[in-house]
Amino acid sequence: MKLMILDKSALAPMVNALRADYRVVGPQARGPQFAFDVITDPAQLRLDYNTTILPPKKVLQPQYERLLSFNRREYQVTPIIEATPTVLVGVHTCDLHAFLLLDQAFSREYPDAHYLERRRQTVIISLECLEPCDEYSFCRSMGTLTSDTGYDLHLTDLGTAYAVHVATETGRQILSRYATVREATEADVRQLNEVLSAKWPRFTYRLDFDAAELPALLGAAYDHPLWEELGERCLACGSCTNVCPTCYCFNVFDEVDMQLVAGERWRCWDSCQLDEFARVAGGENFRKARSARQRHRFMRKGKYLYEKFGELGCVGCGRCIRACVAKISILEGFNAIHQSA
Amino acid sequence: MTSNGKPKVAFFDFACCEGCQLTVVDSLQTHLDLLEAVEIVQFREAISDRGEDYQIAFIEGSCTRQADEERLRKIRAQASVVVALGACAHTACVNALKNLHPLEDVRRWVYGDQAEWYDTYEARPISAVIEVDAIIPGCPIDREEFIRVVKALLLGKKPPLPDYPVCVECKLKENVCMFHIGKFCMGPVTRAGCGAICPTYGDGCEGCRGFIPAPNENAMKDVLADAGLTVEAIMARFTMFNTYLVSARKADGEERR
Amino acid sequence: MTTLNVNVHYVTRVEGHGDIVVDVKNGQIKECRFEVVEAPRFFEAFVRGRPYYELSHITSRICGDSAITSRF
């Protein structure tokens, strides 16, 4: 892995140069919060953002997406794959870990052409977190405070410049074509190491136990009284899963024209927290109670996905805790289960 | 059906502002082909024809008079499909606010000595009088949703009615949550389908589309109380558009975990 | 001389319900009435006791289509 130095004053010219050939997506201010969006002016890019309302997952799996078009008269079905060459800038490492999990979800068993094509066309420039992004994040507990994979380029703020880890050939080409950089000196490497080791104590562990214990803990907590308690507080609004970087469930629906001949098949994000999510043909709803649905979410994040992909489904970004108007905290939930175990 | 195979459609209204029907007229701006798919035989607000032979009836407005019931039953007897068009027909909308007062007092307050000219009883959704096959919620309705319902009826499918709350559409738009900027919002318990239009433009949801099928009323009240609302203000939020539903839920003692 | 009895049982292509009754005898208009037969909604009565900040939201439903512009 090669280390380069990008002067901060060279960032805006780099973004502008990239915009000629790519859609550049990065964190921008949205009211008092932040959101990943298309950059039309480098001044919009806010690498000092804390976190975003929705995770950058939406770049790889958009909220709404066309899958195919059909014509009933001509018995014709045409796949639609909407992918644009994109540079995604400023991804925090928690979201990088989430991407690695999504990659597995969309490439195993039933490879998803739509996701995979967008993934292929997306260049990822990630960002090392040097301070906790906000009061809700617990990335250090979940082992996502850093990452040595999942990106093409990785930036670390050194004050007046960024240290740039070049991880892939794509990353190397991006730098050579679009950016003015220099090779890191020994002094730069020393400074980088200092910055990196200084950051860890700022992130306090939030989980009272080792996250590796989660699958076993949850395995024994299926009948835990916590679920009933959460069921009473939960509004079943689906915000927790909609802001989650590792949730990938979707619903599929058709839009037809007025002649009822031609149309398009769409998919959109879905949520296991919604009343009707688990209703199946015949009318049976096998997760009717809000308590059962909250339990399902905790199990997905701390147990089921681990069993499926070998990675925990929670990256500790804290978005679900912030988004919950009923103040349900997955962190407090995990800790409560540990405490009573 | 007409000889050309198009279903015949009629529009009716009861106590309402007729704005939802105006939205139907408005939807023709973007969906002119609607007129090729159906034949409108009666639509007082838009055409002069008064055809009584129809299969699909769109009814706007609440039932607020004993005398309206007969007209509603007549429509029901003729139509194979009855669609409640808009909040007044669906939930009785703000019309039901008068149910919170003695009706005699309500009549006198507005019409004084002529109060007895104006017959009225407790405002109710049309589903309280006749069976309803489909609902297009909202005050006013969303014209795209109206088109989707028409298409579903033409396809012989059950018209789609979102059973999830406004929060879903709001989050997918990546709006800043109203509760995060010190505002109040009924989004967590209100039926989606409006594209979270009020929060998108900076105003908390007022619940005009009615509640989701199993709203967690107690949790919603706790959230509003946490946000600083008094008990009276919380009840006002619940009753503004949904007095009829709140009373009905209370009567049913409906509560689901 | 003209004798005419006009009874328009609901006027079409307008928002709102109205009937027109015209009674002409020997060229003289005896009666000409526009009857508003709409079911009243009683806004003036039911806004009483509501929180002040709700009023523009409720009364703008006198015509819900233009609720947002009416609010201003």
Side-chain angles (χ1 to χ4, degrees):
Chain A
M1 195 184 289
K2 204 163 179 181
L3 190 66
M4 306 296 284
I5 299 294
L6 173 76
D7 201 79
K8 280 192 176 171
S9 63
L11 183 65
M14 177 184 173
V15 169
N16 261 337
L18 283 168
R19 283 183 51 233
D21 297 328
Y22 293 91
R23 177 177 72 136
V24 179
V25 175
Q28 303 179 19
R30 180 160 301 183
Q33 290 178 280
F34 295 90
F36 277 94
D37 214 338
V38 176
I39 302 284
T40 54
D41 175 347
Q44 295 166 325
L45 182 64
R46 290 283 302 273
L47 291 183
D48 62 333
Y49 78 111
N50 49 18
T51 181
T52 49
I53 303 172
L54 293 184
K57 169 185 82 175
K58 66 178 188 176
V59 172
L60 300 177
Q61 189 197 358
Q63 297 94 312
Y64 298 91
E65 165 186 19
R66 291 187 297 174
L67 297 178
L68 55 88
S69 64
F70 57 84
N71 188 304
R72 297 186 338 142
R73 199 170 287 151
E74 293 163 15
Y75 296 102
Q76 201 179 59
V77 174
T78 316
I80 300 174
I81 293 184
E82 291 177 328
T84 320
T86 300
V87 174
L88 180 54
V89 191
V91 179
H92 285 167
T93 49
C94 55
D95 291 331
L96 274 185
H97 282 270
F99 281 170
L100 295 175
L101 198 135
L102 293 179
D103 285 349
Q104 293 204 57
F106 283 110
S107 58
R108 285 212 206 162
E109 291 172 40
Y110 306 100
D112 187 283
H114 310 269
Y115 175 94
L116 292 174
E117 182 56 23
R118 269 190 298 273
R119 184 65 158 119
R120 198 182 65 79
Q121 295 200 30
T122 302
V123 178
I124 295 175
I125 303 178
S126 51
L127 184 66
E128 185 79 6
C129 298
L130 301 179
E131 278 172 46
C133 60
D134 78 1
E135 56 186 304
Y136 302 110
S137 63
F138 54 106
C139 43
R140 187 175 177 186
S141 297
M142 303 313 290
T144 63
L145 183 44
T146 191
S147 178
D148 51 17
T149 180
Y151 51 81
D152 297 290
L153 297 170
H154 184 70
L155 309 180
T156 305
D157 193 334
L158 296 181
T160 57
Y162 291 105
V164 188
H165 276 109
V166 186
T168 63
E169 176 54 23
T170 307
R172 194 194 61 76
Q173 286 178 14
I174 289 279
L175 276 194
S176 70
R177 278 184 209 162
Y178 301 96
T180 310
V181 286
R182 62 171 173 82
E183 289 204 19
T185 61
E186 257 178 55
D188 294 322
V189 175
R190 210 174 312 122
Q191 196 194 348
L192 174 65
N193 287 339
E194 277 165 23
V195 163
L196 289 181
S197 51
K199 81 171 216 174
W200 288 85
R202 293 187 202 120
F203 295 81
T204 46
Y205 287 106
R206 307 281 302 281
L207 216 51
D208 298 340
F209 58 97
D210 188 339
E213 292 175 38
L214 262 175
L217 264 180
L218 287 167
Y222 196 81
D223 297 313
H224 200 282
L226 176 71
W227 315 128
E228 276 304 314
E229 189 209 308
L230 297 184
E232 285 190 22
R233 286 161 60 198
C234 175
L235 288 151
C237 70
S239 289
C240 52
T241 67
N242 281 332
V243 301
C244 179
T246 69
C247 277
Y248 51 81
C249 287
F250 55 81
N251 195 10
V252 174
F253 59 93
D254 290 344
E255 292 277 10
V256 286
D257 64 7
M258 196 59 83
Q259 288 72 42
L260 314 178
V261 173
E264 288 170 339
R265 176 156 295 177
W266 288 71
R267 73 173 162 193
C268 70
W269 292 4
D270 203 350
S271 167
C272 59
Q273 296 308 299
L274 304 176
D275 271 337
E276 299 297 308
F277 181 85
R279 189 179 298 284
V280 292
E284 177 62 18
N285 185 342
F286 54 88
R287 272 196 301 273
K288 212 170 182 174
R290 290 188 294 268
S291 54
R293 301 201 292 264
Q294 276 293 336
R295 171 174 61 202
H296 183 71
R297 178 169 78 98
F298 276 67
M299 291 288 179
R300 289 282 293 180
K301 299 304 159 193
K303 183 176 190 295
Y304 299 161
L305 290 187
Y306 177 79
E307 286 161 356
K308 204 168 175 177
F309 301 127
E311 302 274 354
L312 287 169
C314 177
V315 295
C317 71
R319 286 188 180 93
C320 59
I321 309 176
R322 187 178 317 100
C324 182
V325 294
K327 298 195 168 77
I328 291 174
S329 161
I330 196 165
L331 174 70
E332 285 172 20
F334 285 157
N335 280 338
I337 290 168
H338 173 254
Q339 213 156 48
S340 60
Chain B
M1 292 271 172
T2 48
S3 51
N4 53 25
K6 293 186 199 172
K8 289 182 180 174
V9 173
F11 289 82
F12 301 95
D13 45 67
F14 291 81
C16 64
C17 75
E18 297 173 25
C20 291
Q21 289 173 94
L22 206 59
T23 304
V24 170
V25 176
D26 180 48
S27 70
L28 295 175
Q29 288 191 53
T30 43
H31 299 280
L32 198 55
D33 47 0
L34 179 67
L35 293 177
E36 280 160 30
V38 301
E39 184 177 337
I40 301 174
V41 300
Q42 185 176 166
F43 192 168
R44 188 192 48 74
E45 194 177 346
I47 64 174
S48 298
D49 299 356
R50 296 160 188 233
E52 290 295 341
D53 174 27
Y54 49 84
Q55 288 88 44
I56 303 173
F58 287 93
I59 304 180
E60 188 183 348
S62 317
C63 188
T64 60
R65 297 182 290 206
Q66 189 73 46
D68 292 337
E69 291 192 7
E70 195 194 325
R71 200 174 140 232
L72 274 171
R73 290 200 187 91
K74 213 179 124 208
I75 297 167
R76 177 72 267 187
Q78 167 63 35
S80 333
V81 177
V82 169
V83 186
L85 184 72
C88 289
H90 171 212
T91 64
C93 197
V94 295
N95 300 328
L97 284 172
K98 77 164 196 252
N99 302 358
L100 299 171
H101 300 263
L103 293 181
E104 195 44 43
D105 167 59
V106 164
R107 289 206 296 169
R108 293 235 161 267
W109 181 264
V110 181
Y111 294 107
D113 320 345
Q114 270 79 50
E116 62 277 11
W117 292 9
Y118 298 93
D119 185 26
T120 198
Y121 72 5
E122 289 189 334
R124 61 203 69 188
I126 60 167
S127 61
V129 181
I130 57 171
E131 201 182 320
V132 170
D133 305 297
I135 297 162
I136 304 174
C139 178
I141 59 163
D142 178 274
R143 61 171 157 174
E144 295 306 321
E145 190 171 31
F146 167 74
I147 296 294
R148 276 198 298 276
V149 167
V150 172
K151 284 177 184 170
L153 291 173
L154 293 174
L155 281 167
K157 282 169 47 172
K158 192 173 177 239
L161 180 65
D163 43 39
Y164 46 86
V166 171
C167 288
V168 171
E169 292 174 339
C170 200
K171 272 288 166 298
L172 265 50
K173 278 190 162 180
E174 206 165 3
N175 290 331
V176 174
C177 180
M178 291 290 108
F179 287 101
H180 287 171
I181 49 170
K183 294 187 178 179
F184 315 113
C185 186
M186 291 295 280
V189 291
T190 303
R191 197 184 284 278
C194 53
I197 186 166
C198 293
T200 300
Y201 291 98
D203 215 350
C205 168
E206 297 165 349
C208 76
R209 294 175 55 88
F211 298 134
I212 48 170
N216 190 343
E217 253 185 72
N218 289 338
M220 186 72 229
K221 285 172 183 165
D222 288 346
V223 167
L224 291 171
D226 257 9
L229 260 62
T230 62
V231 175
E232 292 76 22
I234 291 169
M235 276 325 289
R237 280 270 141 181
F238 268 85
T239 54
M240 188 168 162
F241 277 95
N242 294 303
T243 296
Y244 187 87
L245 294 181
V246 167
S247 313
R249 278 176 63 78
K250 218 173 186 175
D252 286 357
E254 204 178 309
E255 190 60 43
R256 192 171 80 166
R257 294 251 150 81
Chain C
M1 293 292 263
T2 322
T3 295
L4 194 63
N5 246 320
V6 180
N7 193 344
V8 182
H9 177 59
Y10 73 74
V11 182
T12 59
R13 304 194 188 210
V14 291
E15 211 172 350
H17 297 222
D19 295 352
I20 294 172
V21 178
V22 184
D23 201 3
V24 181
K25 274 201 184 85
N26 301 325
Q28 287 265 312
I29 296 177
K30 295 283 170 203
E31 198 168 15
C32 179
R33 280 203 321 270
F34 180 70
E35 297 176 345
V36 176
V37 292
E38 187 149 315
R41 300 205 283 159
F42 301 98
F43 274 85
E44 302 91 324
F46 68 57
V47 293
R48 292 174 300 164
R50 303 299 299 180
Y52 70 91
Y53 50 79
E54 267 187 9
L55 290 196
S56 65
H57 298 253
I58 294 175
T59 55
S60 62
R61 263 61 193 200
I62 290 170
C63 179
D65 242 2
S66 50
I68 292 165
T69 41
S70 301
R71 223 176 274 169
F72 302 117

